[in-house]
Amino acid sequence: MFLTISTTGTAARPATDLGYLLHKHPDKAQAFSTSHGTAHVFCPEADAERCTAALLLEIDPVALVRRGRGKGRGGAPDAALAQYVNDRPYAASSLLAVALSNVFSSALRGVCAARPERAAAPLPLRVEVPALPARGGPELVRRLFAPLGWTVTADPVPLDTAFPEWGDSRYVRLLLESERLTLAEALRHLYVLLPVLDDAKHYWVSADEVDKLLRAGEGWLAGHPEQQLITSRYLSRRWSLTRQARERLELVRLAEADDSEVEDIDNAVADETETEEKPTPLAVLRREAILAALGTSGAARVLDLGCGQGQLTQALLKDARYTEIVGVDVSQRALAIASRRLKLDRMGERQAARVKLVQGSLVYTDQRLRGYDAAVLSEVVEHVDPPRLPALEYAVFGHARPRTVVVTTPNAEYNVRWESLPAGHVRHGDHRFEWTREEFRAWAAAVAERYGYEAAFTSVGPDDPEVGPPTQMATFTISSEREAKAA
């Protein structure tokens, strides 16, 4: 396997700085032992105007078989010949990607103490791979690399130049050129996309591969138009790992859209709460009130918006009248806990068909949430910044528009009854506000009027004669009068 990386320079900024960035001396040929052979690094040309670094990987086929027995392509008992006679000694694959990571590990991270300014700046880069397997052809190669800022030349390799009528093989000669990327970005693109194009890995793909993919894909994978194909192929089409990667990438995308850090929006559940929660009496009363309202509404298909750890979703799942339950949350961590609570991985097929967990932000319209009988916002609205409440209102009441919407939220007046809560504090560190009874009723009335609903109010928990209940609930139903006019 062979790959070259070239750059150009001037006397003031010599091309041989590439050696500093790769942490390899241009005048030396070096060899590195890998688990499947030997990686050689050398520079066939190195001067101020142009420098080329080459990575040559010599594969030991015996080591490949011994280490890969029973794993990946060529590991099956009926593929003994393929273990020794295959393209791996010649065509770029996950073997070359692993060697790239091992040999140029510091460069992949963008670390260069000797030339930090060069490591952080874009370079004129030219990458050549003489033999690259491309399951999907040259067009797929272009779809993968072009959105990342590369000028792509992918020439198909004929099956046999003596017999052109046989057509092209699945290999291409790849040339990538760019002046917009740093060396670290270029190496990370290659590390991920070489095995993606080969569509095979020489080692067993485990859960830590998700972290590797997200580290190498930081800054580009979340917004890549072929993200779904990349994650699926990189993770060897392991559905559970692919889903996990996409959920985390979706969180990155939502954070970017919200101009926030991932940690700022994935904070609904703290690390230490990833244990079975012991619900407080108030939590039980709240769920009972919600279930009673849903039962009265006659709903069968229900959205649990801001489902958190899945307590309400679990309660809904136990009631056979609910034929479809969808839990939605922006926090991937919360959804992972909900999945474990519901035991989705061990659930029977019929039961699993009734429930689904999806990641999404409630302040954006989502076509997946339309057409349901009811939606629940249990202890959710107070986590939304007040300027963004109109967006949530439209997304739920205007766009998704279920026939019934149940909203619960803390009653701020009751806070004086919590002995452990300091005066002037809200009940949860992430609460952006907490409404009094009058404020909640005014908000609910305005939303109902704006979107054609009628609102009814219920007290949840002990109703204190002075400050009211600890939780207040509104049940919105589509106005029959407006519905009749619309019909």
Side-chain angles (χ1 to χ4, degrees):
M1 299 181 191
F2 190 66
L3 175 149
T4 61
I5 303 172
S6 304
T7 188
T8 56
T10 64
R13 299 173 68 87
T16 49
D17 281 352
L18 181 64
Y20 287 102
L21 302 181
L22 293 173
H23 297 261
K24 301 293 179 285
H25 198 292
D27 296 334
K28 294 181 179 179
Q30 297 173 269
F32 303 86
S33 179
T34 74
S35 57
H36 296 91
T38 304
H40 302 272
V41 179
F42 55 95
C43 291
E45 55 181 344
D47 55 43
E49 294 182 354
R50 183 177 175 86
C51 184
T52 297
L55 173 62
L56 172 65
L57 181 61
E58 286 186 299
I59 298 298
D60 180 352
V62 176
L64 181 65
V65 173
R66 286 175 177 169
R67 293 180 179 273
R69 193 176 302 280
K71 301 176 182 179
R73 186 176 62 188
D78 59 347
L81 182 62
Q83 292 176 340
Y84 294 92
V85 182
N86 56 43
D87 62 357
R88 293 205 166 180
Y90 317 106
S93 68
S94 60
L95 288 164
L96 185 60
V98 170
L100 196 77
S101 174
N102 292 341
V103 174
F104 299 136
S105 58
S106 296
L108 264 166
R109 300 194 307 272
V111 175
C112 181
R115 297 288 190 275
E117 74 288 348
R118 292 284 269 166
L123 296 175
L125 292 170
R126 178 185 175 96
V127 177
E128 295 182 73
V129 184
L132 174 68
R135 294 180 185 270
E139 180 55 34
L140 178 60
V141 180
R142 284 186 279 270
R143 294 201 331 253
L144 293 181
F145 282 102
L148 302 176
W150 293 101
T151 299
V152 183
T153 303
D155 297 323
V157 176
L159 283 170
D160 193 319
T161 54
F163 300 94
E165 65 274 14
W166 289 2
D168 296 325
S169 68
R170 68 180 186 91
Y171 302 91
V172 299
R173 296 185 184 92
L174 177 65
L175 170 62
L176 302 173
E177 296 175 292
S178 177
E179 296 188 358
R180 299 161 46 190
L181 301 169
T182 65
L183 179 63
E185 289 172 330
L187 292 175
R188 289 198 293 266
H189 297 166
L190 293 168
Y191 175 75
V192 172
L193 297 181
L194 290 181
V196 166
L197 284 165
D198 188 24
D199 198 13
K201 282 203 169 183
H202 69 279
Y203 56 87
W204 176 251
V205 173
S206 57
D208 63 348
E209 289 296 298
V210 176
D211 293 327
K212 293 180 185 178
L213 173 62
L214 296 184
R215 280 197 302 270
E218 183 178 0
W220 62 271
L221 183 53
H224 197 292
E226 298 293 339
Q227 179 207 114
Q228 184 171 343
L229 179 142
I230 293 170
T231 53
S232 177
R233 286 193 177 190
Y234 185 88
L235 297 168
S236 295
R237 291 185 170 82
R238 291 193 60 191
W239 177 82
S240 60
L241 298 182
T242 302
R243 182 181 66 177
Q244 179 184 343
R246 289 177 188 165
E247 287 171 347
R248 291 170 62 179
L249 287 167
E250 177 64 9
L251 190 60
V252 171
R253 188 191 66 79
L254 291 171
E256 291 176 348
D258 203 35
D259 196 23
S260 304
E261 296 296 328
V262 171
E263 293 78 9
D264 292 338
I265 65 171
D266 194 21
N267 63 356
V269 181
D271 291 334
E272 62 271 16
T273 65
E274 291 192 23
T275 58
E276 191 69 16
E277 182 188 43
K278 294 181 180 179
T280 65
L282 179 58
V284 173
L285 292 172
R286 186 185 303 125
R287 283 197 291 276
E288 289 176 348
I290 292 169
L291 292 171
L294 292 175
T296 302
S297 74
R301 302 173 68 240
V302 181
L303 298 168
D304 184 4
L305 303 177
C307 64
Q309 299 181 68
Q311 292 95 329
L312 177 61
T313 301
Q314 185 179 45
L316 291 167
L317 192 59
K318 292 177 180 177
D319 193 328
R321 81 181 96 179
Y322 301 113
T323 58
E324 185 178 354
I325 306 140
V326 179
V328 183
D329 206 286
V330 72
S331 170
Q332 188 270 335
R333 184 187 302 148
L335 292 174
I337 297 173
S339 178
R340 290 197 293 271
R341 176 186 296 277
L342 297 172
K343 298 181 175 62
L344 290 182
D345 57 337
R346 289 175 283 174
M347 191 176 288
E349 184 176 345
R350 181 176 297 180
Q351 190 80 329
R354 294 175 56 216
V355 63
K356 180 167 59 174
L357 299 177
V358 300
Q359 186 177 34
S361 172
L362 301 183
V363 297
Y364 298 104
T365 57
D366 192 331
Q367 197 66 27
R368 297 174 297 178
L369 307 185
R370 290 177 64 90
Y372 285 82
D373 301 327
V376 178
L377 289 159
S378 179
E379 310 300 286
V380 170
V381 294
E382 64 272 12
H383 290 269
V384 179
D385 288 316
R388 310 204 70 181
L389 271 177
L392 179 143
E393 294 162 10
Y394 175 73
V396 176
F397 294 90
H399 183 75
R401 200 165 177 75
R403 295 185 60 82
T404 300
V405 181
V406 180
V407 179
T408 71
T409 190
N411 170 20
E413 296 168 81
Y414 193 89
N415 288 352
V416 297
R417 297 291 187 257
W418 298 111
E419 295 182 1
S420 59
L421 187 65
H425 282 63
V426 293
R427 298 184 196 176
H428 187 285
D430 190 53
H431 285 186
R432 310 307 167 89
F433 61 86
E434 287 177 358
W435 280 322
T436 64
R437 287 169 291 173
E438 182 180 351
E439 289 169 333
F440 178 57
R441 286 173 176 262
W443 172 81
V447 170
E449 174 64 24
R450 191 176 304 120
Y451 294 103
Y453 283 78
E454 296 173 348
F457 300 94
T458 306
S459 297
V460 179
D463 200 345
D464 188 287
E466 294 182 3
V467 296
T471 295
Q472 45 193 341
M473 184 173 89
T475 302
F476 299 80
T477 53
I478 289 182
S479 170
S480 56
E481 181 181 341
R482 290 202 181 184
E483 193 175 24
K485 287 181 179 180

